Amino acid sequence: MKRVDDFRLKFGKKEFVPIMVGGMGVDISTAELALETARLGGIGHISDAMVPDVSDRRYDTSFVKDKTRFYKANIDNADKSIIKFDLGVLAEATRRHVEATMQAKGSEGLIFVNCMEKLTMNGPRETLQVRMASALDAGIDGITLSAGLHLGSFGLIADHPRFRDAKLGIIVSSVRALQLFLRKNARLERKPDYVIVEGPLAGGHLGFGMDWAQYDLATIVAEVVQFMKTEQLDIPVIAAGGIFTGGDAVSFLEQGVAAVQVATRFTVANECGLPAEVKQDYFRASEADIVVNTISPTGYPMRMLKGSPAIGAGIRPNCEAYGYLLDGNGNCAYITAYNREVALHPDSKTISVMDKTCLCTHMRNFNLWTCGHYTYRLKDTTRRLADGSYQTLSAEHIFKDYQFSVDQKVALPE
Ligand SMILES: Cc1cc2nc3c(=O)[nH]c(=O)nc-3n(C[C@H](O)[C@H](O)[C@H](O)COP(=O)(O)O)c2cc1C
C-alpha cells in the first residue's frame, strides 16, 4: 500500500516531500509553522495579509498606531476614500517579515508567501505590486497568488530581477480560471511553476458560490490534469481542500497531482498562530458547528465555526487602522452594512450587523474562526487530557502522519 513518502514533488532538479502547508492569514500560518514544514522537507507558507500588523506584533514596529494617528480625524467619517497605505511602510513591513523568516531557514525545504488579490487596500495595483516585489527582494522562495483571478499580477512584477527564478504559483478552483490566467499572461512567456487546485471543502474563502456543495475536488483536479496533458504543459498540479489523511493524499497523488496542500490539520499544531483556547474550539467542533456564509465583505463565501465572535458583531469599521478590504474607491461591504444598521437604530448604543463582518478587525483579533470542512474530525487526531481539553500536536507529528501513514489511519500523539 502506497504512502505519501513514495512520491516526490519536483521543481527542476530539486525534490520535496509533496506536502505543502497552505497560507493562513493573519499569521495563523506563522513563520514557525512554515519553518517546521520546510525543515521536514516540504513547502510552508507565511501570509502577507495585514503584514504591517504582523510586523508590529513580531518585530515591535508601530505601523498600525502610526497609520491610525495619521487618519484619526477621519474615524467618524463614513467616507473612507482618503485612507491610503504608505507604500514605503508596506514594503518595510513585508521585508521584515519575509527576511526574518528566510534568515531562520536552515533547510532545503521551501517557504512561500500567500498573496491574496482580494486585499485591495484602497489601491489594488500598487499595493499588490509592492507586496510581491518586497517579498522577492527579501528572498522569499516563492509566491502563491490566491483569492482572486490575478490576471494582471505577473505583469506587476515582470521587471523584477527574480521574476523568472522565484517560484510563482496560483490557486484556482476551476479549469476555466486557469485558462483565463494563462491566456492573459501569454505575452510574458512565463508560466506558473505550480497550480494549486482548491476545492469547496477548504478553509478560508471559497472560489465557489453558495452552490459550493455541488462541486468536488477530484473532478476539478481531473479536469485540470487533463487540460495540462492536452496543452502539453508540464506544470505541477497541487490538490487542496479536505485532504485530511495520508490516505486521502495518496489517492490524489495517484490521480496525477504532484503534491497536496493542507491546512486544517495544522490549525491545532503548537506552531499555529491561533490562540490556545481557539484551538480547543476547533477540536470541540462538531459537523453542525461549521457553516459556509457570506459575511466576508470580499464577496466570496467563507467557511467558519458558527461560534465565531465575528458573526453578528457590529463594531465601528476600523479602516483608519486597517482598511485592507477598501476597494480603491474607499468602499467595503461592511461599511455599507454597518451604516445601514446605524441609520435603522439611531438610538442604540450597540448594534448588530448580521450580513457582513469587519473582516480585518476580526481576523486580526482571531475572532473569525475560519476552518476547513473536516474540522469536526480534528478531535480524532489527538488525545483528550485529564482536564477534558485536547492535546495540541507538533507540526512535525502532523506532517509525518501525512507523510508516512497508510490507508485512512491517523497516528495519535505519544
Ligand atoms: C484557518 C485557515 C485560514 C486560511 N487562510 C487562508 C488565507 O489567508 N489565504 C488563502 O489563500 N487560503 C487560506 N486558507 C486555505 C488554505 O491555505 C488551504 O488551501 C485549504 O484550507 C486546504 O484545505 P484543508 O484546510 O481542508 O486542508 C485558510 C485555511 C484555514 C484552515
Side-chain angles (χ1 to χ4, degrees):
M1 195 164 288
K2 291 219 165 186
R3 49 192 195 164
V4 169
D5 197 48
D6 296 324
F7 298 83
R8 283 295 177 265
L9 165 64
K10 293 191 190 77
F11 279 139
K13 290 198 185 83
K14 293 223 165 122
E15 292 197 352
F16 303 90
V17 178
I19 300 170
M20 240 187 210
V21 178
M24 296 181 269
V26 173
D27 216 16
I28 296 178
S29 58
T30 57
E32 292 72 23
L33 180 57
L35 285 162
E36 266 305 88
T37 309
R39 184 182 68 79
L40 295 161
I43 298 175
H45 274 96
I46 52 174
S47 159
D48 79 348
M50 301 182 76
V51 73
D53 185 75
V54 174
S55 167
D56 288 355
R57 287 198 263 190
R58 285 185 165 262
Y59 315 111
D60 224 12
T61 49
S62 60
F63 297 137
V64 177
K65 208 159 91 197
D66 298 347
K67 180 167 176 260
T68 315
R69 199 179 301 133
F70 190 78
Y71 287 113
K72 198 165 168 226
N74 200 63
I75 287 179
D76 289 323
N77 190 353
D79 181 353
K80 305 295 181 193
S81 56
I82 65 157
I83 299 167
K84 292 283 174 188
F85 280 85
D86 179 319
L87 297 180
V89 163
L90 190 57
E92 168 71 6
T94 308
R95 185 192 61 73
R96 276 177 186 268
H97 191 35
V98 173
E99 222 167 66
T101 309
M102 298 312 286
Q103 279 170 2
K105 195 184 86 160
S107 58
E108 287 288 302
L110 300 178
I111 297 186
F112 295 171
V113 63
N114 181 284
C115 264
M116 293 185 275
E117 190 177 33
K118 273 289 176 183
L119 298 186
T120 40
M121 301 172 73
N122 220 17
R125 279 175 60 84
E126 60 270 30
T127 53
L128 185 57
Q129 182 167 40
V130 165
R131 288 157 57 195
M132 294 189 294
S134 316
L136 292 172
D137 290 342
I140 197 76
D141 289 319
I143 301 178
T144 297
L145 304 174
S146 71
L149 291 172
H150 284 283
L151 301 182
S153 302
F154 269 20
L156 294 175
I157 46 168
D159 293 334
H160 196 283
R162 296 194 58 216
F163 180 58
R164 284 171 206 277
D165 92 74
K167 300 283 171 256
L168 303 179
I170 177 149
I171 302 189
V172 298
S173 292
S174 67
V175 75
R176 237 184 108 239
L178 175 61
Q179 285 167 325
L180 204 57
F181 179 84
L182 293 174
R183 204 175 320 133
K184 288 282 177 189
N185 288 291
R187 67 178 176 87
L188 294 173
E189 296 185 353
R190 202 271 184 235
K191 299 266 186 313
D193 298 293
Y194 57 100
V195 170
I196 299 173
V197 179
E198 197 183 70
L201 303 184
H205 290 100
L206 305 182
F208 301 85
M210 285 304 279
D211 60 348
W212 57 271
Q214 298 183 12
Y215 296 85
D216 94 289
L217 177 62
T219 307
I220 309 168
V221 163
E223 285 166 5
V224 172
V225 168
Q226 184 54 46
F227 170 77
M228 296 292 193
K229 271 197 195 126
T230 313
E231 299 292 316
Q232 297 183 324
L233 291 169
D234 188 18
I235 305 174
V237 175
I238 298 169
I243 300 172
F244 199 78
T245 64
D248 294 342
V250 165
S251 68
F252 280 100
L253 291 162
E254 287 183 327
Q255 199 193 331
V257 306
V260 295
Q261 171 163 292
V262 289
T264 293
R265 288 277 307 269
F266 288 90
T267 58
V268 291
N270 302 327
E271 292 85 349
C272 160
L274 290 172
E277 63 279 17
V278 178
K279 289 177 190 167
Q280 293 299 319
D281 282 303
Y282 278 57
F283 272 130
R284 276 193 296 266
S286 66
E287 191 169 359
D289 294 330
I290 298 163
V291 63
V292 175
N293 62 31
T294 53
I295 67 169
S296 166
T298 61
Y300 289 118
M302 199 175 187
R303 179 173 281 111
M304 63 191 73
L305 295 187
K306 282 183 183 165
S308 302
I311 301 178
I315 56 166
R316 187 172 63 191
N318 248 328
C319 311
E320 285 71 23
Y322 307 134
Y324 291 83
L325 296 180
L326 294 172
D327 63 358
N329 299 307
N331 300 318
C332 164
Y334 179 67
I335 303 175
T336 313
Y338 173 79
N339 290 337
R340 182 199 64 220
E341 290 303 320
V342 171
L344 284 172
H345 305 97
D347 302 323
S348 301
K349 276 215 178 80
T350 55
I351 60 158
S352 169
V353 181
M354 290 311 297
D355 54 327
K356 291 293 164 210
T357 195
C358 187
L359 193 67
C360 296
T361 308
H362 294 306
M363 284 303 296
R364 188 266 172 211
N365 293 335
F366 301 111
N367 279 331
L368 193 153
W369 301 333
T370 184
C371 62
H373 175 77
Y374 288 123
T375 299
Y376 63 89
R377 291 168 63 187
L378 287 173
K379 58 176 81 61
D380 304 328
T381 67
T382 192
R383 295 179 193 282
R384 201 107 189 240
L385 302 173
D387 65 358
S389 68
Y390 293 90
Q391 182 184 342
T392 54
L393 306 161
S394 69
E396 177 171 8
H397 171 83
I398 302 166
F399 189 94
K400 288 191 168 161
D401 184 51
Y402 271 116
Q403 187 177 359
F404 296 113
S405 68
V406 288
D407 216 353
Q408 289 300 322
K409 290 199 193 84
V410 170
L412 298 183
E414 291 296 312

